[in-house]
């Protein structure tokens, strides 16, 4: 595609400009139970409400942690999607079973892309529906190991950190064979996040 000088390409349709990184502390031995509920009962209901399930992860160092990410088209879309899902029939039917696996579900970071093009681009990775004969979904679990790093720093340092990460660290990561999936800054100061595979 040829673009005129100073033109920027349209952002990927499926990139999520608002992302939640959610880390749940679970009751001992309950991670697989929650994953089964999540996979079979909760993913499609959230997608139908307008969310993008970016990924879910087993923390290799903490067996009682469930880490997952979901994206939204914006803050208004997030509010509407959360209201629709948590006020709807899917969550009403399965919330007790899901909540019974959890000790704490309040560790949530609300993130935005650290620079233009640093958001999650899930285009070209369709995920088959979980139920036979359902429509193909727009996202797909990422195979392999995903490294998620959260950086904490003093207020006001996030923009300089993001610039340095973009110009120095991201090229080093990709040169060594890693694929940078996203780099984000928080809606609240003091934290930065990046994920790579």
């Amino acid at each position: 595609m040829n673009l005129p000088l100073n033109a920027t390409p349209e952002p990927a349709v499926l990139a999520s400009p608002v992302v939640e990184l959610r880390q749940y502390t679970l009751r001992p031995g309950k991670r697989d139970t929650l994953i089964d509920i999540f996979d079979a009962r909760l993913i499609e209901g959230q997608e139908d409400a307008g969310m993008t399930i970016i990924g879910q992860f087993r923390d290799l160092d903490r067996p009682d942690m469930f880490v997952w990410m979901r994206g939204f088209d914006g803050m208004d879309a997030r509010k509407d999607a959360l209201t629709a899902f948590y006020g709807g029939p899917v969550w009403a039917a399965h919330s007790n079973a899901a909540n019974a696996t959890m000790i704490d579900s309040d560790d949530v970071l609300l993130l935005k892309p650290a620079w233009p093009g640093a958001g999650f681009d899930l285009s070209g990775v369709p995920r088959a529906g979980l139920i036979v004969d359902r429509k193909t979904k727009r996202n797909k679990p990422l195979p392999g190991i995903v490294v998620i790093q959260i950086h904490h720093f003093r207020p006001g340092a996030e923009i300089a950190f993001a610039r340095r990460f973009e110009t120095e660290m991201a090229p080093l990561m990709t040169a060594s064979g890693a694929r940078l999936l996203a780099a984000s800054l928080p809606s609240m100061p003091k934290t930065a996040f990046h994920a790579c595979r």
Side-chain angles (χ1 to χ4, degrees):
M1 173 166 90
N2 292 326
L3 293 172
L5 290 176
N6 299 323
T8 56
E10 290 294 318
V13 173
L14 301 179
S16 295
V18 175
V19 171
E20 291 179 349
L21 169 61
R22 308 182 67 88
Q23 300 181 82
Y24 292 174
T25 303
L26 305 178
R27 298 185 188 287
K30 293 295 183 181
R31 182 164 64 185
D32 286 338
T33 301
L34 178 60
I35 289 171
D36 289 344
I37 295 166
F38 194 85
D39 285 347
R41 308 287 182 221
L42 301 179
I43 290 178
E44 290 196 7
Q46 291 179 83
E47 290 175 335
D48 290 343
M51 304 177 206
T52 298
I53 306 303
I54 293 170
Q56 56 179 317
F57 312 96
R58 288 176 167 86
D59 188 317
L60 298 179
D61 297 319
R62 300 177 295 174
D64 297 322
M65 292 295 292
F66 177 64
V67 179
W68 66 291
M69 302 176 75
R70 63 183 172 191
F72 305 87
D73 291 335
M75 290 301 289
D76 289 339
R78 177 178 180 259
K79 178 183 174 187
D80 293 344
L82 294 175
T83 299
F85 178 72
Y86 290 109
V90 172
W91 184 244
H94 304 290
S95 60
N96 288 341
N99 286 333
T101 67
M102 300 177 201
I103 294 171
D104 177 27
S105 62
D106 293 334
D107 187 351
V108 179
L109 294 176
L110 189 58
L111 306 168
K112 60 186 178 185
W115 60 82
F120 283 93
D121 177 3
L122 302 178
S123 57
V125 286
R127 177 179 65 75
L130 297 175
I131 300 172
V132 176
D133 296 330
R134 287 292 301 257
K135 62 187 176 188
T136 297
K137 294 298 180 178
R138 60 185 178 181
N139 53 336
K140 168 184 163 181
L142 297 169
I145 293 177
V146 174
V147 176
I148 295 174
Q149 292 186 332
I150 299 170
H151 306 273
H152 300 276
F153 41 80
R154 69 184 181 281
E158 59 270 9
I159 300 302
F161 178 89
R163 285 186 186 135
R164 188 168 181 193
F165 187 89
E166 178 185 14
T167 59
E168 296 178 25
M169 291 304 300
L172 288 174
M173 292 168 58
T174 55
S176 66
R179 177 178 161 217
L180 183 64
L181 300 174
S184 301
L185 290 174
S187 294
M188 306 295 285
K190 292 184 157 182
T191 308
F193 154 86
H194 72 269
C196 64
R197 170 165 77 101

